[in-house]
């Protein structure tokens, strides 16, 4: 078991959630809802330390808990943002909650994006659907520390315009001169003024240069499979590709063994891995 020194000092019992209050919700798409959550007090929020890419377990009392990335960066700590795609029991109950409701929060859990070793490099973000959530954390963190990074390019794809989360901040991303944003959808749609095409194909057209670059990608498994092939074609090496795994978690602290792949536990050794690290794991994904 790996110790996680960043666990809340309140959580001597790692299973004990803190109480969070939902201060705002955003209906992102028909099946994704965002929750902005604050912990106990303003002081507690300031004391709460986490890194981009870390996750939390959100619980609905009497129902259960599920894992979500904290998709607001630690440079913006008025609240913790979680975007939840409806999948089953816990996520459906979460979707029923609104401003003022309470949730249990066990966070921060897991490792984080290696943003220190990315300094000075060009960064290519490639996100599909809800997979944009973890990328958003790192992207906003890098924009808040803009001078530390080279060129920033974002490729974000969804099935249709209606499936695109974070639509309220996309105009700003598109307008910013210090980053390039490309949006794509799978099929033509009325009024859509951006790209049409599958993410790996659009990526090949964008043709980011691998020299001094890191690609960070997250999305559905089929997208990841073809995106990795496209990145390889463009010359990216396995240690230049970073992704996050969504293997089911339970305890979140390396105790129950639910999330293991070979000798690694996704909850403490992940969820962030380079492709080089993933290739060393047994093929159990
Ligand atoms: C590290 C990590 C980060 C995550 N971040 C996010 C996030 O930011 N936003 C988000 O919406 N989701 C995220 N997830 C996935 C989320 O945890 C699951 O969708 C959630 O646990 C489903 O809970 P449920 O009780 O509603 O569904 P369940 O009733 O448990 O499952 C409903 C259906 O979905 C399938 N399913 C559930 N979870 C997964 C999964 N992880 N992978 C594949 N199939 C699954 C089940 O097999 C079942 O068919 C993350 C998962 C992990 C491990
Ligand atoms: S979720 Fe229990 S060991 Fe990882």
């Amino acid at each position: 078991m790996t110790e996680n020194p960043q666990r809340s000092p309140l959580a001597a019992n790692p299973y004990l959630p803190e109480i969070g209050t939902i201060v705002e919700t955003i209906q992102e798409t028909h099946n994704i809802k965002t929750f902005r959550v604050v912990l106990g007090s303003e002081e507690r929020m300031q004391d709460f330390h986490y890194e981009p890419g870390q996750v939390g377990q959100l619980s609905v009392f009497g129902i259960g808990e599920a894992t979500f990335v904290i998709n607001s960066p630690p440079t913006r700590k008025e609240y913790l943002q979680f975007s939840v795609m409806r999948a089953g029991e816990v996520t459906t109950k979460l979707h029923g909650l609104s401003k003022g409701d309470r949730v249990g929060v066990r966070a921060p859990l897991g490792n984080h994006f290696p943003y220190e070793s990315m300094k000075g490099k060009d960064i290519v973000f490639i996100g599909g659907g809800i997979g944009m959530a973890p990328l958003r954390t790192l992207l906003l963190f890098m924009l808040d520390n803009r001078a530390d990074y080279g060129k920033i390019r974002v490729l974000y794809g969804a099935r249709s315009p209606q499936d695109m989360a974070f639509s309220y901040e996309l105009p700003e991303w598109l307008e910013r001169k210090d980053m390039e944003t490309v949006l794509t959808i799978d099929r033509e749609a009325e009024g859509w003024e951006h790209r049409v095409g599958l993410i790996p194909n659009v990526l090949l057209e964008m043709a980011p240069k691998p020299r001094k670059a890191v690609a960070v990608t997250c999305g559905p498994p089929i997208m990841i499979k073809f995106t990795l092939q496209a990145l390889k074609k463009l010359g990216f090496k396995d240690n230049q590709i970073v992704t996050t795994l969504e293997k089911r978690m339970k305890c979140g602290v390396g105790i129950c063994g639910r999330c293991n792949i070979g000798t690694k536990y996704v909850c403490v050794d992940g969820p962030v891995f380079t492709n080089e690290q993933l290739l060393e794991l047994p093929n159990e994904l």
Side-chain angles (χ1 to χ4, degrees):
M1 186 183 103
T2 310
E3 287 284 320
N4 185 344
Q6 300 194 67
R7 279 291 286 140
S8 153
L10 292 177
N13 173 354
Y15 298 113
L16 199 63
E18 287 184 67
I19 304 298
T21 304
I22 297 169
V23 290
E24 193 179 347
T25 64
I26 301 167
Q27 192 68 47
E28 304 271 2
T29 70
H30 74 284
N31 63 354
I32 301 175
K33 187 167 175 177
T34 285
F35 298 87
R36 293 179 168 169
V37 175
V38 295
L39 301 175
S41 61
E42 216 172 281
E43 219 175 31
R44 174 65 190 125
M45 283 302 287
Q46 287 317 311
D47 281 355
F48 182 81
H49 294 294
Y50 65 104
E51 300 277 5
Q54 286 197 288
V55 302
Q57 294 272 39
L58 288 190
S59 45
V60 185
F61 305 118
I63 302 294
E65 62 178 3
T67 317
F68 307 99
V69 68
I70 306 171
N71 74 60
S72 48
T75 40
R76 306 180 189 188
K77 285 215 304 192
E78 315 88 87
Y79 49 74
L80 304 175
Q81 177 162 311
F82 301 92
S83 299
V84 177
M85 179 181 268
R86 201 171 43 234
E89 202 175 11
V90 175
T91 49
T92 300
K93 288 286 178 194
L94 273 169
H95 271 232
L97 300 183
S98 39
K99 187 175 168 180
D101 286 335
R102 305 283 174 99
V103 281
V105 182
R106 288 199 296 130
L109 300 171
N111 72 351
H112 58 84
F113 288 111
Y115 59 86
E116 284 290 342
S117 64
M118 293 177 174
K119 282 185 178 169
K121 297 190 176 156
D122 293 343
I123 314 292
V124 188
F125 290 96
I126 309 149
I130 188 68
M132 197 59 214
L135 304 194
R136 176 184 191 264
T137 327
L138 184 62
L139 171 65
L140 298 188
F141 177 84
M142 287 181 168
L143 292 177
D144 290 345
N145 295 280
R146 188 64 192 88
D148 289 342
Y149 301 94
K151 200 186 251 185
I152 294 182
R153 303 179 84 181
V154 177
L155 169 57
Y156 175 29
R159 284 188 184 167
S160 71
Q162 292 73 29
D163 289 308
M164 212 146 240
F166 313 120
S167 54
Y168 41 92
E169 55 197 7
L170 298 179
E172 188 203 324
W173 295 4
L174 287 160
E175 265 168 37
R176 279 183 79 127
K177 300 278 179 270
D178 58 353
M179 67 185 271
E180 179 194 347
T181 303
V182 173
L183 306 178
T184 187
I185 54 170
D186 290 357
R187 263 170 249 106
E188 294 280 357
E190 215 183 307
W192 179 252
E193 292 169 351
H194 304 277
R195 302 287 269 266
V196 177
L198 298 177
I199 291 169
N201 299 339
V202 178
L203 178 65
L204 286 172
E205 286 164 25
M206 287 170 72
K209 299 258 179 302
R211 201 179 154 268
K212 279 185 66 191
V214 180
V216 191
T217 185
C218 192
I222 188 76
M223 176 214 121
I224 294 293
K225 182 178 166 193
F226 290 106
T227 297
L228 290 179
Q229 289 178 8
L231 285 168
K232 295 286 183 63
K233 226 182 237 178
L234 292 167
F236 281 78
K237 303 225 159 45
D238 290 316
N239 64 2
Q240 290 177 280
I241 303 171
V242 177
T243 189
T244 75
L245 289 188
E246 289 203 354
K247 187 141 170 107
R248 302 300 299 275
M249 283 171 39
K250 204 167 177 72
C251 72
V253 289
I255 293 173
C256 73
R258 173 75 185 266
C259 68
N260 84 297
I261 311 173
T263 56
K264 300 284 183 200
Y265 287 155
V266 173
C267 67
V268 285
D269 301 308
V272 177
F273 293 93
T274 63
N275 204 42
E276 187 177 38
Q277 291 169 322
L278 290 183
L279 290 172
E280 285 166 8
L281 298 179
N283 191 10
E284 292 171 8
L285 293 171

